[in-house]
């Protein structure tokens, strides 16, 4: 339980540290510059995901990657099974 609280505090800290980028993305969206908004967001999201996994000492194991179609888009829908699935 204590490690979960620490992990969530670390995630909150990371999100607060990215506030400048959030403000810039919101400003770009308000000005109709969707490409700039997407550039900002697409730069933050991978960093955030990597930080969450490291902060929570999680591991990712990918199985069946070779079965994904290469010629069309794929949508993944998650069934949350615990509180750590959300971040």
């Amino acid at each position: 339980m204590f490690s979960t609280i620490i992990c969530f505090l670390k995630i909150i800290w990371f999100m607060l540290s990215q506030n400048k980028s959030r403000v810039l993305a919101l400003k770009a969206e308000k000005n109709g510059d969707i490409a700039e908004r997407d550039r900002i967001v697409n730069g933050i999201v991978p960093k955030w995901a990597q930080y969450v996994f490291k902060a929570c000492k999680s591991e990712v194991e990918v199985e069946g990657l070779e079965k994904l179609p290469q010629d069309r888009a794929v949508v993944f829908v998650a069934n949350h099974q615990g509180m750590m699935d959300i971040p």
Side-chain angles (χ1 to χ4, degrees), residues 6-72:
I6 297 297
C7 182
F8 276 114
L9 289 174
K10 288 180 178 181
I11 293 169
I12 291 168
W13 174 84
F14 181 86
M15 291 169 67
L16 291 173
S17 73
Q18 298 300 311
N19 191 51
K20 182 179 177 183
S21 296
R22 184 186 66 84
V23 170
L24 290 173
L26 289 172
K27 185 177 178 182
E29 183 175 41
K30 184 177 180 182
N31 292 335
D33 192 352
I34 303 304
E36 176 63 11
R37 181 209 59 191
D38 289 350
R39 186 192 68 75
I40 295 168
V41 171
N42 290 336
I44 295 171
V45 171
K47 293 176 189 175
W48 174 80
Q50 289 174 353
Y51 183 84
V52 168
F53 278 97
K54 287 180 183 177
C56 298
K57 299 177 184 168
S58 299
E59 294 182 15
V60 177
E61 183 179 333
V62 178
E63 294 181 13
L65 189 60
E66 70 282 353
K67 296 179 183 178
L68 292 178
Q70 300 298 314
D71 59 338
R72 62 182 188 271

Side-chain angles (χ1 to χ4, degrees), residues 8 11 15 48 52-53 78-87:
F8 276 114
I11 293 169
M15 291 169 67
W48 174 80
V52 168
F53 278 97
N79 179 13
H80 298 295
Q81 298 180 0
M83 291 301 290
M84 288 307 298
D85 289 349
I86 295 167

